[in-house]
Amino acid sequence: MTIAVEKVLYTAKATAHGGRDGKVASDDGKLDVVVAPPAEMGGTGNGTNPEQLFAAGYAACFQSALMVVARRERQDVTGSTVTAEVGIGAINGGAGYGLEVALVVSLPGIADRAVAEDLVAKAHQVCPYSNATRGNIAVDLKLA
């Protein structure tokens, strides 16, 4: 199922030079980073990599969604954190590559585990990254 955006509120634009071993920069200059394959994939590791950038974006976006849901549910998520763990590996017998994600959510102010799980599940329905990846890659939701 394709999700159609009803009204675009913002468009980010970034350009890569050199693929996984080069540089990535946004059109406004706020992001300008060297990218390099991690040592685990045969690279130098002397830069960030697309998986780290994806993990950072997903973690920030998911936590924002969590805060929206918590506000709606009248729950306090002060001090919460979201850690995104993005794995990359071979798929289709080595014919290509795929991603998997684990989102580890810490909600120190929510004592009731059922309430915490409900907030995380609802945030997963709100988060644009979750909506973009749903049905495409495995996303494991975990409470820290």
Side-chain angles (χ1 to χ4, degrees):
M1 172 173 100
T2 301
I3 298 172
V5 174
E6 294 171 10
K7 180 181 177 187
V8 174
L9 302 174
Y10 168 76
T11 299
K13 186 175 179 182
T15 303
H17 299 274
R20 286 183 165 275
D21 206 358
K23 117 178 199 171
V24 178
S26 61
D27 65 332
D28 62 4
K30 292 180 181 177
L31 176 72
D32 191 348
V33 295
V34 171
V35 290
E40 296 86 348
M41 293 178 65
T44 64
N46 292 333
T48 190
N49 59 65
E51 291 70 39
Q52 288 174 326
L53 295 170
F54 185 71
Y58 203 160
C61 189
F62 195 88
Q63 187 165 30
S64 288
L66 182 65
M67 291 187 292
V68 166
V69 168
R71 202 168 29 254
R72 289 178 187 165
E73 301 284 323
R74 292 179 168 63
Q75 295 292 328
D76 183 7
V77 293
T78 301
S80 66
T81 61
V82 176
T83 301
E85 300 171 356
V86 176
I88 183 171
I91 59 170
N92 300 326
Y97 293 90
L99 300 174
E100 66 179 23
V101 175
L103 295 174
V104 183
V105 182
S106 173
L107 294 166
I110 307 293
D112 186 327
R113 186 168 182 89
V115 170
E117 289 173 347
D118 185 59
L119 290 172
V120 170
K122 286 177 178 173
H124 192 45
Q125 298 305 309
V126 171
C127 176
Y129 276 64
S130 292
N131 288 328
T133 59
R134 188 170 291 109
N136 297 311
I137 66 173
V139 177
D140 186 19
L141 304 174
K142 301 178 180 181
L143 284 175

